[in-house]
Amino acid sequence: MAPKRARTIDRSSTVPTADSSRGTAARPRLTDRAMEEEYTRLLGKPILKERGFLPSGRDGELPPMIAEKGWIAFCESPEAVLMSVVREFYANAKVEKNGFSVVRGLTVDYHPAAIRRVIGQRDRKPKKENWNEKTAEDFDLDLICATLCRSGTVWTFKTGTNEYRHFPAIAMNRYARAWNAFICANILPSSHAHEVTVERAQLLWGILNEEYYVDLGEFIYQGILKFLRGAKHMNIPYASTVTKLCRAVGVNWPAHEQLQLPVAPINSGTLNGMQEWTGGEPEEHGLGYCLPGGRPARGATMARPRHDEAGSSRAQEGAGMADTQYRRLSQRMDAMYETQSRFAQELTLALVTAFRGLEADIQWPFFGEDSAYPPPDTPPTEGDDDDDSE
């Protein structure tokens, strides 16, 4: 009979009590009973994984569009986040609710201006309208649907009312679908990327129209407040931004504390796996197609991009894959990498503890107790495969 699988212990799911100098996680600074209770509640909530948006020069005007908005830093692949720090931030912020939190004894400002600084967003240009100041009445939802989606796509309404609900994401052109996936991961966290809600459609319209300035700092700030006000159905959002806010004020943490890795970025491979319309080419900024009137041709159908024009599968990840297949493969690779990283992390911690007990001075070849984790990719050097044992 095969042995039972050992139970994996999430080190972030318990409040550590040991001294951090002895190789264990640092104790969260929870200043009162309410914060301790909130931290304990958050231990049962997953932390949403964010993803980067890294199109290449083969993806039309997407790269210049990101650069023009000043979102290059925000669209980079997010770093691994420290789970205990993120939970401590939200536990303390839940009680204060004044735009500040306390993490490891340091005050963390999460007002819009502070968020804009850490994500690298530029100030609004004078000629651009501020999207955040718009109201629902300023948007023509039927026009948004008709411009972004193939002909014949309509909104779904709430039963028995005229209230708009959503339209299918698969009906949009792939530029808009890529932005929708990025929005669901980083701006308006949602696990329902297959349906475009009214709020997300309005934000998508603001992003794709170059005359608008979308204040991400304000948007993320409001999202944090929404979570703090008790949105029980939400998982913990904006972990990468929270980590950057904490680092900006000097919050430090041991290299061995448990990290959560991001998912694979949205890149040329992801875009190549998305369905495309026939009968037109994408406009410069991804709004519809260069057809008369700027709308898709009536009766336009969905078709796969030609893979012989898109480049070899080696040049573009996932070439020829369906979007669902590529997403599942990416999730499996993420899970494998996370498992391997956690094993290396726990093995290193065990070795550190063992060698400390022996009072042995060990020179770590790649990373050590005080080094950044995960370690950078290190190319093999000549002689790496040699057996030094006699």
Side-chain angles (χ1 to χ4, degrees), residues 24 85 98 109 124 197 213 252 290 293 301 331 356 366 372:
T24 58
V85 162
N98 59 358
D109 180 0
R124 178 168 66 96
T197 62
Y213 170 83
N252 296 311
C290 294
T301 58
Q331 290 172 346
R356 183 184 289 117
F366 296 110

Side-chain angles (χ1 to χ4, degrees), residues 10-31:
D10 182 353
R11 295 184 184 277
S12 68
S13 64
T14 58
V15 180
T17 57
D19 181 4
S20 61
S21 64
R22 298 294 298 170
T24 58
R27 177 192 287 272
R29 303 286 183 88
L30 306 171
T31 57

Side-chain angles (χ1 to χ4, degrees), residues 302-314:
M302 303 289 281
R304 291 284 179 191
R306 291 182 57 185
H307 300 304
D308 56 341
E309 296 177 356
S312 67
S313 60
R314 193 174 189 84

Side-chain angles (χ1 to χ4, degrees), residues 131 183 187-188 198-207 214 219:
W131 180 92
I183 290 170
I187 307 177
L188 271 175
V198 171
E199 184 180 18
R200 207 182 315 142
Q202 292 169 341
L203 176 58
L204 188 57
W205 183 259
I207 290 175
V214 178
F219 215 102

Side-chain angles (χ1 to χ4, degrees), residues 192-235:
H192 301 288
H194 60 285
E195 294 176 344
V196 183
T197 62
V198 171
E199 184 180 18
R200 207 182 315 142
Q202 292 169 341
L203 176 58
L204 188 57
W205 183 259
I207 290 175
L208 295 176
N209 279 277
E210 61 180 356
E211 65 264 24
Y212 287 125
Y213 170 83
V214 178
D215 187 346
L216 291 175
E218 178 66 28
F219 215 102
I220 294 175
Y221 172 69
Q222 294 298 333
I224 291 175
L225 292 182
K226 180 180 179 181
F227 178 77
L228 294 176
R229 287 172 185 145
K232 296 182 179 180
H233 63 283
M234 287 181 64
N235 293 330

Side-chain angles (χ1 to χ4, degrees), residues 59 178 202 235 365 386 388:
D59 300 317
Q202 292 169 341
N235 293 330
D386 294 342
D388 294 334

